[in-house]
């Protein structure tokens, strides 16, 4: 938090009180805005998912819907198309306030993606709504660039916390996601405040979060540590594979389809064709958020290829320009990969699903501590210990590129 | 982890595997050494505490025991007298291997301190045994200075994790305690490995950790966030007050008692006099680790001045050169202060005790994330959310000096 020269003479705690007296209301306001946007997002996604499940023919319209979405971004959203990377870029180097239109555009884009059967997440949307709404306070409050940076971090924290119902993970995510390998605490209080308020506001809008249950967690043992490390390495390679595949598809699409409004059309066409050519019995589970499959990965044995199929559907969806984000698909990839690993790693499959849920994300987003906190918040401290080891190993094995191109390398991993 | 020039051409994951293949056995060995030392420490402290409780007259010998301890350090321990600060200093700037004698000296010094009624902790001992034993591997393994740094961090993690039975908190403590306001991940895998193995080894020696139960945690609410912030600020001021008092007493003792072997004699004399002058009925609870009072702070209403009395007894004990560390007294100060705050803050007293337990420590050691993880590991995720907010506020309000003088300021707090 800022410190001006004239205030240097005051005792440290008084300066802090002045700073907090200013930042707490701002962070609370960020939390209210981001939490409300997340509530709207979650309600709209529930609606979109229910509609798509009832009317499977909607998936036939994914290609034209992609065209509409791309037209919408072309006409109104050129300045905010970069999405999460714009948010991270502005947080690193605050130059211009993020246009408020980012919020409606990403909400509509995500709704379209999910209604018509794209495979995508929602954290990207929550981060963008949280950060862009937060940033609107910059001008009225007359914030300096380094204060805008704190505001954006609080917006990221509030968006993440509220969309997943995990305030501790959200608070730390906002300070951890900016750089690989380091973490600094200068925005820690606004991030915590915004994250907790954001989560409470989403819940106050009567939005419920899914509860996942780990049916069995053995007492930690030296073999448990070893198995968690091996699983973590696998989760990290999966996270890296997914990030690279998505980037590769995006690069290929850019190269071969110069017209950006046509890219989601092609992507939508590929997804639709794959869904109906392979058969909806097998493929519907890979569309949208995929929550039922994530739940199933905690309760029953699933096909071992589910994680790869989900990764492919998501990489095509997001790599060709659909909206929503990567994180819920990463949860899906991780929990189904964990489920699959239970064939060869002698840990309970629901525990491996929980470990994968957070650890593939930890590797792909390079956020091992936020992911460990998320495990603790969602699955409890016992499973969180296994997950923590897996998150660290996944983080190490996922390489130096992740799902966010604008993330910087603060310190190499090894 | 290190990377030599000749290996640059190998793929990243292969390099990582080579590094991990080297560091995992080393970190496991650090965990075995540190966990065994912690087990010995905990068993010896159980014995010392039971003896002192049975034979209250032992407290009359605190002053002469202090002289014996100081003579021991003067004759054999001049090079390791700086204790935790030497460990942190060597981690920042690895110059010379820490002598192995640090381990027996701190174990004996801590045993003497607790047997004769000093008020002290045990984490300082665990960190010193963990780090000094770890450091003995430096020469046989031919480690370079930057590798010694990783080894020492792993030793700190393993010592902390094993002495408190909290592997996640220990793992993060080793990377968080070095600097205020930043955290870097370069030693994250060895720290996690050493912490988990250390904890398992201590448990394998049949050492049990005390279990604290939060009897009631209300669902998080906006008032809950606010109360946690207020309590956190109070915890931070208490942590700062304790750190300053201890440093002030140490400075005063150094100034007025030039002979270092006489300082603990004077400190011991003051403690003994206070204990018997005020009356053992009132004062015995402030000696040693004080675990029964910490447990009581979760279950019943305690005198509101307990935290201050414990702080004073501990500052005199440690400020005049007795051994053991500050952290368990900080848990005591925090949990009794939380208990006292329940008179004015409308949260359950056992929840406030849990919040204070970790948050005063978070402020005094400048380790908000390790402390939050500790709360989750000891009290569960629900109470951990309240504790996390309190830890962050405590961290902010505790100023830029803490209990560890050798800690550096990575980034100012505000």
């Amino acid at each position: 938090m800022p410190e001006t020269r004239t205030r240097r003479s005051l005792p440290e705690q008084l300066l802090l009180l002045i700073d907090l007296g200013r930042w707490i209301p701002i962070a609370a306001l960020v939390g209210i805005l981001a939490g409300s946007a997340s509530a709207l997002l979650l309600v709209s996604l529930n609606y979109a998912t229910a509609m798509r499940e009832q009317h499977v023919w909607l998936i036939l319209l994914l290609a034209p819907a992609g065209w509409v979405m791309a037209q919408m971004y072309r006409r109104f959203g050129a300045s905010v198309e970069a999405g999460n990377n714009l948010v991270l870029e502005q947080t690193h180097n605050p130059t211009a306030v993020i246009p408020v239109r980012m919020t409606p555009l990403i909400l509509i884009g995500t709704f379209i993606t999910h209604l018509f059967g794209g495979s995508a997440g929602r954290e990207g949307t929550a981060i963008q709504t949280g950060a862009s709404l937060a940033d609107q306070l910059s001008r009225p409050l007359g914030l300096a660039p380094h204060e805008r940076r704190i505001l954006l971090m609080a917006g990221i924290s509030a968006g993440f916390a509220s969309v997943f119902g995990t305030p501790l993970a959200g608070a730390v995510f906002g300070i951890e996601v900016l750089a690989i390998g380091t973490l600094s605490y200068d925005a820690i209080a606004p991030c915590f405040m915004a994250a907790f308020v954001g989560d409470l506001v989403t819940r106050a809008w009567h939005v419920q979060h899914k509860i996942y249950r780990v049916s069995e967690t053995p007492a930690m043992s030296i073999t448990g540590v070893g198995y968690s490390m091996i699983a973590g390495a696998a989760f990290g390679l999966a996270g890296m594979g997914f990030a690279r595949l998505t980037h590769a598809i995006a690069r290929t699409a850019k190269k071969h389809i110069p017209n950006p409004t046509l890219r989601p059309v092609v992507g939508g066409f590929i997804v639709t064709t794959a869904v109906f050519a392979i058969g909806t019995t097998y493929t519907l589970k890979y569309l949208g958020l995929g929550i039922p499959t994530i739940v199933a990965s905690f309760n029953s044995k699933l096909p071992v290829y589910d994680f790869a199929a989900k990764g492919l559907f998501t990489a095509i969806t997001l790599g060709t320009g659909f909206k929503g984000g990567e994180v819920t698909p990463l949860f899906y990839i991780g929990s189904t990969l964990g489920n699959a690993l239970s064939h060869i790693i002698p840990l309970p499959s629901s525990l491996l699903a929980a470990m994968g849920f957070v650890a593939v994300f930890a590797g792909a987003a390079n956020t091992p501590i936020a992911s460990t906190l998320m495990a603790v918040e969602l699955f409890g401290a016992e499973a969180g210990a296994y997950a923590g080891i897996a998150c660290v190993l996944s983080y190490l094995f996922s390489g130096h590129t992740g799902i966010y191109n604008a993330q910087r390398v603060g310190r190499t991993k090894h």
Side-chain angles (χ1 to χ4, degrees), chain A residues 1-4 6-23:
Chain A
M1 272 166 280
E3 190 176 342
T4 61
T6 51
R7 288 153 59 197
R8 283 268 162 77
S9 53
L10 292 174
E12 195 176 344
Q13 272 70 19
L14 194 59
L15 285 177
L16 182 63
L17 267 183
I18 295 170
D19 271 340
L20 285 179
R22 181 151 168 263
W23 276 104

Side-chain angles (χ1 to χ4, degrees), chain A residues 97-256:
Chain A
V97 170
I98 297 171
V100 69
R101 63 182 60 188
M102 177 183 263
T103 288
L105 285 168
I106 190 68
L107 283 171
I108 296 168
T110 307
F111 181 79
I112 290 174
T113 300
H114 283 267
L115 180 65
F116 296 100
S119 171
R122 49 195 168 172
E123 106 296 341
T125 314
I127 288 172
Q128 290 177 49
T129 55
S132 62
L133 291 174
D135 211 8
Q136 304 315 309
L137 303 174
S138 299
R139 267 191 287 247
L141 295 171
L143 297 187
H146 69 280
E147 296 173 310
R148 263 195 69 217
R149 181 184 139 81
I150 294 171
L151 193 68
L152 286 171
M153 290 165 83
I156 294 170
S157 284
F160 190 95
S162 57
V163 81
F164 295 126
T166 53
L168 288 175
V172 172
F173 183 81
I175 54 177
E176 192 178 32
V177 72
L178 297 176
I180 294 176
T182 61
L183 189 156
S184 97
Y185 293 3
D186 48 341
I188 198 168
C191 284
F192 265 71
M193 185 72 193
F196 273 90
V197 172
D199 177 45
L200 288 168
V201 166
T202 302
R203 292 174 196 268
W205 285 108
H206 296 290
V207 173
Q208 307 262 322
H209 298 284
K210 194 83 212 167
I211 292 168
Y212 306 94
R213 290 209 191 285
V214 177
S215 56
E216 185 194 351
T217 306
M220 185 55 83
S221 65
I222 192 71
T223 53
V225 173
Y227 292 141
S228 301
M229 297 182 85
I230 294 167
F235 295 140
L237 294 175
M240 182 183 68
F242 172 78
R244 290 198 177 170
L245 182 63
T246 307
H247 294 319
I249 288 176
R251 265 197 315 275
T252 310
K254 269 194 191 120
K255 194 171 150 197
H256 295 288

Side-chain angles (χ1 to χ4, degrees), chain A residues 8-77:
Chain A
R8 283 268 162 77
S9 53
L10 292 174
E12 195 176 344
Q13 272 70 19
L14 194 59
L15 285 177
L16 182 63
L17 267 183
I18 295 170
D19 271 340
L20 285 179
R22 181 151 168 263
W23 276 104
I24 287 174
I26 296 175
L29 193 52
V30 169
I32 292 169
L33 294 169
S36 299
S38 288
L40 180 60
L41 168 66
L42 291 171
V43 168
S44 76
L45 290 189
N46 284 345
Y47 176 81
T49 305
M51 284 295 282
R52 190 190 68 237
E53 284 170 356
Q54 274 174 43
H55 308 289
V56 175
W57 54 264
L58 283 169
I59 302 165
L60 292 168
L61 303 179
L62 183 60
W67 184 81
V68 171
M69 190 193 70
Q71 285 294 339
M72 178 182 83
Y73 265 92
R74 194 182 64 86
R75 293 190 57 171
F76 308 110

